[in-house]
Amino acid sequence: MEGLQERYDIQEAIKKNVDIVAPDCLVISEEFSDWEDSKRRIDLLGIDKQANLVVIELKRDDIGAHMELQAVRYAAMISTMSFSKACDYYQSYITNNGLNINAKESILDFVELDETELIDFGKDIRIILASAGFSKELTTTAIWLRDKGVDISCVRISPYKFNDDV
């Protein structure tokens, strides 16, 4: 895929333009891995306008090898995250990216809710899989999961070359 690297090129581009794969989503963490006994990482973690957590998993290959299983595992692992914890993770992300905003205020502004209205925060988790392509096994699994009520989407991403830029 034009010599792009998953973590440094694709993830950086998506992080800055998250609406490409997840409209109405606020990225609150990248390479999220705050759990015991696992070194696994969520590429991008976000919150949508309904105050649901959003797992965004990226692959640069053209089949998306096992990313649906990985993302379902991540969704389960963050399913108990509180609003307070999400604010802490977002504050770290803000600091690491040199931004000067308040995490809690920013999230509340984004979801257009008062903190007292966040009783169901993170109750539902969305999964977004973004890759150059998806195998039949992956799409079959994603469709089955959707039929079972899991909010999972596959988004095909393709790099384009314009002059010397990709």
Side-chain angles (χ1 to χ4, degrees):
M1 216 163 96
E2 294 291 340
L4 297 176
Q5 294 182 20
E6 218 166 274
R7 189 167 174 191
Y8 300 105
D9 297 316
I10 299 169
Q11 187 168 308
E12 195 64 25
I14 302 261
K15 174 178 85 169
K16 292 177 180 173
N17 304 285
V18 72
D19 280 349
I20 293 169
V21 298
D24 293 326
C25 184
L26 173 69
V27 175
I28 63 165
S29 185
E30 69 179 315
E31 296 298 315
F32 179 85
S33 64
D34 190 18
W35 32 61
E36 291 180 32
D37 304 326
S38 179
K39 292 185 179 4
R40 299 184 179 279
R41 297 179 227 236
I42 298 172
D43 292 331
L44 296 173
L45 178 63
I47 294 176
D48 68 13
K49 289 284 192 179
Q50 290 72 45
N52 296 316
L53 292 168
V54 181
V55 171
I56 303 171
E57 190 59 29
L58 310 169
K59 293 287 183 233
R60 67 184 175 107
D61 63 26
D62 58 358
I63 59 169
H66 303 293
M67 68 190 304
E68 79 283 17
L69 301 175
Q70 197 174 1
V72 167
R73 182 180 300 137
Y74 295 155
M77 292 168 87
I78 62 166
S79 65
T80 60
M81 185 183 295
S82 67
F83 175 69
S84 174
K85 271 302 206 188
C87 289
D88 291 345
Y89 297 129
Y90 188 37
Q91 196 62 59
S92 293
Y93 175 80
I94 287 167
T95 302
N96 291 341
N97 284 277
L99 304 171
N100 190 21
I101 54 177
N102 178 282
K104 185 176 181 180
E105 290 173 16
S106 180
I107 291 173
L108 290 172
D109 286 347
F110 180 76
V111 297
E112 299 175 352
L113 294 171
D114 185 276
E115 191 172 355
T116 60
E117 298 173 289
L118 290 175
I119 297 163
D120 290 334
F121 174 81
K123 185 184 96 180
D124 292 320
I125 298 174
R126 290 174 50 205
I127 297 172
I128 310 256
L129 308 175
S131 180
F134 300 96
S135 68
K136 186 169 183 147
E137 291 91 354
L138 187 147
T139 55
T140 300
T141 303
I143 290 167
W144 183 79
L145 286 167
R146 281 192 77 83
D147 288 347
K148 296 296 179 187
V150 176
D151 190 344
I152 184 169
S153 302
C154 298
V155 179
R156 183 170 288 154
I157 53 175
S158 300
Y160 292 94
K161 196 170 213 159
F162 180 74
N163 295 330
D164 287 335
D165 291 330
V166 177

